[in-house]
Amino acid sequence: MLAPLSWLKDFVDIDVTVEELEKKLFDSGFEVEQIIPYGDKLDKVVTCKIFKIEQHPNAEKLRICQVDAGKYGKLQIITNAQNVKEGDIVPVAVDGATLATGDRIFNGKLRGEPSYGMFCGGEEIGITDAFYEGASFDGVLVFNDDFPLGEEVRDLLGLKDYVFDISVLANRPDCQSIVGIAREIACALNKPFKEPDLSYNEVKGDDEKIDVTVLDNELCPRYIAHLIKDVKIEKAPKWMSKRLALCGLNSINNIVDITNYVLLEMGQPMHAFDLKDLENNEIIVRRAENGEKIVTLDEKENILNSDNLVICDGQKPVALAGIMGGLNSEIKDDTTAVLFECAKFKRDNVRKSARTLGKSSDSSKRFEKGVDEYTTERASKRALNLIDKLGAGRVTAVRVDVSAGKTQENKEVRTTFGKINGVLGIEVPKDTIVDILTRLGFGVTVDGENLVTVAPPYREDVEGYPDLAEEVIRTYGYEHIKPTLLKEAQVTAGGYSKEQKDELKMKRTFVNLGFNEAMTFSFYSKKDISALNLREGDCEGQTILIGNPLSDNYEVLRRTLIPSLLKVASSNIKKGNTEGKIFEIARTFIPKTLPVTDFPEERRYLTALTFGGQDDFFTLKGVLEEIAEIFRVKFNLNVRADKTYLHSGVSAKILLGDKEIGVYGQIAYETAAAFDIECKVYALELDYDALAEEFNTPFKYVNLPKFRSVERDLALVADEKTTCAEIEDVIRSACKNSVESVKLFDVYVGEQVGVGKKSMAYTVTFKAGEEKPLESADVDAFVKRILGSLKHRLGVELR
């Protein structure tokens, strides 16, 4: 939030430098993101009075002005401004002046005539109409006041100020206001806090009746409405519009500006309704009906549902509760009676409605963090005080205060000094603890070691003695804390767990193979799922929908990582990166039941993807073989997969024993096209958690063989539909204990092997026994047995 130093000084005497104040706020737990200086650069821009104007002899558009600049004497200024005349008091930058933009002004000549300065407009001074009437005009600023001559403009207009941009966290909603920050400064500087003026004159005698009905007390615990009559719509005074401008708000009119002023000063959002636009002088706070509509002040139509809370008159919605007023009841130039609204709305409902409708405002941001009922009542009185002070209307006695029936009780915490110091780990003197809590507005009662505190009504965040300890230490000073171990703490070796080490090892394996790690969102859209062309019952389609998604692109919790990585590939291709290799290890969310009634099962999946370049199906197979070797697992990669998003002829399952843990292959062309990818894409996806269970398998050492292995090449003729995996299985099963490995090294299809046939060449490695080497006769017997099994089981013959 933005807090001008001049505004803070209304409530506490600040006698430290800006830098010291920044440190005090930081020590109190508030991060000052930046300090914005105003008028600090402006120098030697002073007031002067024009007493003579003549035409420039050498330029038709220039005029020579003689001015009286007070202590700077009588000066000649040449200008092309046409809006000045003799007798005007205007700002002039004299020799050596610095403008708000940082530009310097020096004496010079224009078309042969000397000029000893330059007249200034609002832009050169760094102000707009919010600071002084006419400052936004594109020309020289003409003062309406009879200012003394030769005086610095920054001092006369009170331009020198500093605005603190303070980050207020959600746990301190009481500090999202000028008053809240001023309270903290008063405590930090040990200065008295000056309460805002809440007094006003109430004129009785009006028989006007206002009906207020709150139909949902949970979402609106308190609603205060107060009637203002004889309203005069005009511009707000400069001191008010200036403060609003320093905080980034434009001045609109006195009534609207008062609501914005109270919002910034007290932290309580308010709204003003034009009474003549409220049907039957009635206010009803209720949930919206499904499909109900309202056009808000930003002139946008909003379609509502029963989760949205609305403020209605006797017939229609006139405001979105806690977010924005309706266009149908805004303050206009002919408004003569105003109904002020000051209420407390449930924070999570305001947040949900603001997100759903895509409508955020200064009011909704404050309600989302929380507004207490104490501030609601005080802010209402402050607004009436300003109405009375500015003469903007007549404060009537017509007031309606609807409460949910809960009495506002200050929270009492019973504890001991020992518990507070136990949390801090240091010994803070009792008197210091009492003094700090008292300065922070707590009621404090001491009985020996026992301490009873009553939190101020605006501190709804205080729950127990740990909160009191936090209050004490942030004021006492964190520098007093000395590092110590907790009572039950012990020094540990630290480092990664085995699970973390295994995952890091897997990531490094992929990086070494040329892949880049991707990190994608846990959500995607229904459109991404439909692009996979899933069949009914496919597990990838059993997903969890988000009840209140950020957008349509993030409405489904991911069940597979394939769509996420395809979008990454598509994005890279569109940006000119036409080839790449990416991978990700991340959690997927598997519903336990459909419809969802419980938290989903979260499982880590490993997905890798290649696009463009020379990579193909066998690239991924090589990656899986590398993983199998490094992590000592055994995959079966030769069984055809059946996934709708994979090419039916270029895909396979990833089997771990008899368990399928994943698939790999080419992404189907129609799926790739749905993600705007025209090149071939290959992907693998496996259940990383299922794979990681095998990482715990202990090493099993065997003796090195005494005798060498023997290799024999076999060229076989098989039916085209016979798979490599089927042939390998028969070869291994024919000589279970003697075959060490089977590797396919050639495939041929042509007339020489016949129609519908193919030739497949394998290298079969036979291992010797422990007692004797392999003889040629032994190998021949093995080969004969293998060929017999192939002929009998698959109809495969030796070529």
Side-chain angles (χ1 to χ4, degrees):
M1 63 160 290
L2 300 177
L5 180 61
S6 59
W7 203 343
L8 292 169
K9 287 182 176 180
D10 282 359
F11 304 105
V12 59
D13 292 328
I14 300 174
D15 55 2
V16 296
T17 65
V18 171
E19 292 72 24
E20 289 176 306
L21 183 57
E22 178 185 17
K23 185 179 185 305
K24 289 287 185 182
L25 285 168
F26 182 81
D27 291 343
S28 297
F30 300 95
E31 181 180 353
V32 179
E33 297 185 354
Q34 63 174 329
I35 300 175
I36 308 168
Y38 280 86
D40 63 322
K41 295 179 181 178
L42 199 65
D43 184 45
K44 298 183 74 173
V45 178
V46 301
T47 52
C48 71
K49 186 172 186 178
I50 304 172
F51 61 85
K52 186 177 181 181
I53 300 178
E54 297 177 320
Q55 182 65 40
H56 193 292
N58 303 318
E60 182 180 347
K61 293 184 179 181
L62 296 180
R63 297 195 293 171
I64 300 176
C65 300
Q66 306 297 328
V67 305
D68 182 357
K71 61 185 176 183
Y72 291 95
K74 291 181 171 54
L75 305 173
Q76 177 171 291
I77 307 295
I78 297 178
T79 182
N80 66 347
Q82 301 300 311
N83 68 307
V84 295
K85 62 183 183 301
E86 293 179 359
D88 285 344
I89 298 177
V90 298
V92 62
V94 298
D95 186 42
T98 304
L99 304 181
T101 58
D103 295 326
R104 301 291 304 278
I105 300 298
F106 299 99
N107 294 340
K109 286 187 177 182
L110 288 175
R111 294 293 184 95
E113 294 294 330
S115 181
Y116 300 100
M118 181 187 80
F119 291 151
C120 298
E123 183 177 354
E124 288 80 20
I125 300 174
I127 61 174
T128 62
D129 281 348
F131 291 82
Y132 198 88
E133 190 68 33
S136 298
F137 175 73
D138 186 16
V140 173
L141 173 60
V142 178
F143 291 122
N144 300 319
D145 299 278
D146 189 17
F147 286 137
L149 305 181
E151 298 297 322
E152 290 281 355
V153 169
R154 67 163 185 260
D155 298 330
L156 292 171
L157 299 184
L159 300 182
K160 194 163 185 180
D161 205 344
Y162 296 91
V163 176
F164 290 77
D165 187 354
I166 303 171
S167 176
V168 179
L169 300 180
N171 67 322
R172 291 302 305 275
D174 60 295
C175 290
Q176 51 185 353
S177 64
I178 300 296
V179 165
I181 294 297
R183 284 197 202 104
E184 296 296 319
I185 293 174
C187 177
L189 299 180
N190 199 9
K191 300 273 189 178
F193 173 72
K194 304 173 187 176
E195 293 286 348
D197 186 2
L198 307 182
S199 63
Y200 59 90
N201 294 312
E202 188 175 270
V203 180
K204 298 182 180 181
D206 285 272
D207 56 358
E208 195 100 34
K209 186 179 179 183
I210 301 295
D211 291 324
V212 176
T213 306
V214 177
L215 297 181
D216 196 318
N217 292 326
E218 181 185 0
L219 300 187
C220 179
R222 191 168 192 185
Y223 192 97
I224 299 174
H226 205 118
L227 179 61
I228 314 298
K229 301 286 288 287
D230 301 334
V231 172
K232 293 177 288 185
I233 302 297
E234 54 191 12
K235 292 183 178 180
K238 285 303 166 194
W239 62 266
M240 180 177 283
S241 60
K242 174 186 173 183
R243 286 184 170 179
L244 293 176
L246 289 174
C247 294
L249 296 181
N250 294 324
S251 178
I252 299 174
N253 59 53
N254 53 351
I255 300 299
V256 175
D257 287 0
I258 285 173
T259 63
N260 287 333
Y261 191 88
V262 171
L263 167 73
L264 297 174
E265 184 177 73
M266 306 292 290
Q268 168 70 54
M270 294 189 64
H271 188 64
F273 297 105
D274 189 330
L275 185 67
K276 67 175 180 292
D277 293 329
L278 298 181
E279 295 290 339
N280 304 325
N281 283 9
E282 188 175 8
I283 288 289
I284 302 173
V285 184
R286 62 169 173 82
R287 290 177 179 268
E289 298 175 2
N290 290 324
E292 196 167 16
K293 298 178 181 180
I294 182 174
V295 178
T296 44
L297 289 171
D298 57 3
E299 299 183 0
K300 294 182 179 178
E301 184 178 74
N302 305 271
I303 301 176
L304 311 177
N305 59 52
S306 58
D307 290 332
N308 308 134
L309 189 69
V310 290
I311 313 299
C312 304
D313 62 12
Q315 293 184 355
K316 61 188 180 300
V318 291
L320 282 174
I323 302 175
M324 192 175 294
L327 191 63
N328 54 11
S329 61
E330 67 173 339
I331 302 301
K332 299 172 280 293
D333 291 341
D334 62 349
T335 298
T336 58
V338 166
L339 188 69
F340 267 156
E341 167 194 280
C342 208
K344 177 178 179 178
F345 300 114
K346 193 175 181 182
R347 67 177 73 180
D348 54 346
N349 178 261
V350 173
R351 183 177 186 273
K352 184 176 181 180
S353 293
R355 291 286 182 102
T356 303
L357 299 172
K359 194 173 295 296
S360 180
S361 64
D362 289 331
S363 294
S364 67
K365 291 174 183 175
R366 281 169 170 78
F367 275 121
E368 286 174 23
K369 290 184 177 179
V371 173
D372 58 88
E373 289 187 42
Y374 173 77
T375 300
T376 300
E377 184 171 358
R378 285 165 55 84
S380 175
K381 293 179 179 179
R382 179 58 170 158
L384 299 177
N385 166 267
L386 291 171
I387 288 285
D388 197 20
K389 181 179 179 180
L390 303 184
R394 177 169 54 86
V395 180
T396 74
V398 181
R399 176 184 177 88
V400 182
D401 188 345
V402 180
S403 174
K406 298 179 181 178
T407 57
Q408 187 178 349
E409 297 180 357
N410 296 351
K411 294 181 181 177
E412 182 180 272
V413 177
R414 294 178 177 271
T415 185
T416 64
F417 290 103
K419 285 186 177 180
I420 292 177
N421 284 327
V423 172
L424 301 178
I426 58 175
E427 194 69 25
V428 181
K430 295 180 183 179
D431 292 343
T432 302
I433 292 176
V434 172
D435 176 60
I436 289 173
L437 292 176
T438 302
R439 284 154 52 191
L440 286 169
F442 287 77
V444 182
T445 304
V446 179
D447 182 11
E449 279 294 316
N450 297 317
L451 185 68
V452 180
T453 66
V454 179
Y458 47 83
R459 291 301 304 273
E460 295 184 343
D461 59 300
V462 177
E463 298 288 345
Y465 70 88
D467 297 314
L468 298 180
E470 180 184 358
E471 296 300 305
V472 169
I473 195 59
R474 68 186 182 87
T475 306
Y476 187 58
Y478 292 101
E479 67 274 7
H480 291 93
I481 294 181
K482 298 177 182 178
T484 58
L485 286 175
L486 297 173
K487 290 182 179 180
E488 304 298 327
Q490 58 182 346
V491 178
T492 61
Y496 291 116
S497 65
K498 183 181 184 305
E499 180 181 321
Q500 290 171 321
K501 289 178 180 177
D502 288 338
E503 184 173 327
L504 188 59
K505 182 179 178 181
M506 180 65 75
K507 290 180 178 181
R508 286 174 175 165
T509 299
F510 271 87
V511 171
N512 291 338
L513 292 172
F515 286 79
N516 293 299
E517 184 178 6
M519 296 181 69
T520 60
F521 289 115
S522 299
F523 319 97
Y524 41 60
S525 68
K526 293 178 183 178
K527 181 181 177 182
D528 296 332
I529 298 177
S530 63
L532 301 180
N533 299 313
L534 300 173
R535 298 176 292 250
E536 185 176 354
D538 284 351
C539 63
E540 292 87 354
Q542 298 171 5
T543 56
I544 300 171
L545 298 179
I546 305 299
N548 185 23
L550 295 174
S551 72
D552 292 344
N553 293 325
Y554 305 107
E555 57 188 341
V556 179
L557 271 174
R558 65 185 174 197
R559 178 65 178 79
T560 168
L561 303 180
I562 293 291
S564 299
L565 292 193
L566 284 173
K567 287 197 288 188
V568 173
S570 175
S571 176
N572 274 273
I573 291 171
K574 291 174 182 176
K575 294 173 182 176
N577 302 319
T578 55
E579 60 181 84
K581 300 166 75 172
I582 54 178
F583 79 97
E584 182 175 14
I585 299 176
R587 296 187 182 278
T588 60
F589 303 89
I590 306 168
K592 296 176 182 177
T593 60
L594 287 175
V596 177
T597 58
D598 196 2
F599 290 109
E601 177 188 0
E602 298 184 21
R603 292 190 68 83
R604 287 177 298 171
Y605 267 69
L606 165 61
T607 303
L609 184 145
T610 71
F611 58 93
Q614 302 299 314
D615 295 322
D616 56 17
F617 174 84
F618 295 102
T619 301
L620 295 184
K621 186 175 183 182
V623 169
L624 291 166
E625 290 171 347
E626 184 76 8
I627 291 173
E629 182 175 344
I630 291 174
F631 290 91
R632 307 184 312 280
V633 295
K634 187 175 182 181
F635 291 135
N636 180 352
L637 305 174
N638 301 311
V639 179
R640 191 185 303 275
D642 182 23
K643 292 290 184 182
T644 57
Y645 52 87
L646 293 179
H647 193 295
S648 58
V650 195
S651 61
K653 297 179 180 179
I654 303 173
L655 299 177
L656 191 60
D658 296 329
K659 182 180 179 181
E660 180 181 342
I661 66 167
V663 292
Y664 72 104
Q666 181 182 341
I667 296 294
Y669 291 114
E670 57 269 26
T671 298
F675 289 91
D676 295 327
I677 301 175
E678 296 180 357
C679 62
K680 289 184 178 180
V681 185
Y682 298 87
L684 70 84
E685 182 166 52
L686 56 84
D687 185 337
Y688 180 82
D689 282 338
L691 176 62
E693 293 175 3
E694 300 297 317
F695 296 165
N696 297 320
T697 305
F699 280 106
K700 185 177 181 181
Y701 294 95
V702 295
N703 293 326
L704 292 173
K706 295 180 181 179
F707 310 104
R708 69 180 182 85
S709 300
V710 176
E711 293 182 350
R712 186 68 62 87
D713 291 342
L714 300 177
L716 306 172
V717 177
D719 190 89
E720 275 188 333
K721 295 183 179 179
T722 304
T723 66
C724 175
E726 291 173 329
I727 294 176
E728 284 190 16
D729 287 343
V730 172
I731 293 174
R732 291 179 184 278
S733 63
C735 304
K736 289 183 180 179
N737 299 322
S738 300
V739 176
E740 185 174 292
S741 67
V742 181
K743 292 184 179 180
L744 176 72
F745 66 85
D746 184 54
V747 177
Y748 171 75
V749 177
E751 295 180 358
Q752 295 181 358
V753 295
V755 179
K757 299 289 184 179
K758 62 181 176 181
S759 173
M760 305 175 74
Y762 292 86
T763 296
V764 182
T765 302
F766 299 97
K767 60 183 178 181
E770 296 182 0
E771 301 298 330
K772 65 175 186 176
L774 283 174
E775 301 292 342
S776 179
D778 298 327
V779 176
D780 289 341
F782 291 151
V783 170
K784 184 176 180 181
R785 191 184 309 168
I786 289 171
L787 293 176
S789 294
L790 288 171
K791 174 69 175 177
H792 175 70
R793 295 173 61 181
L794 300 176
V796 175
E797 297 182 342
L798 189 68
R799 182 178 174 185

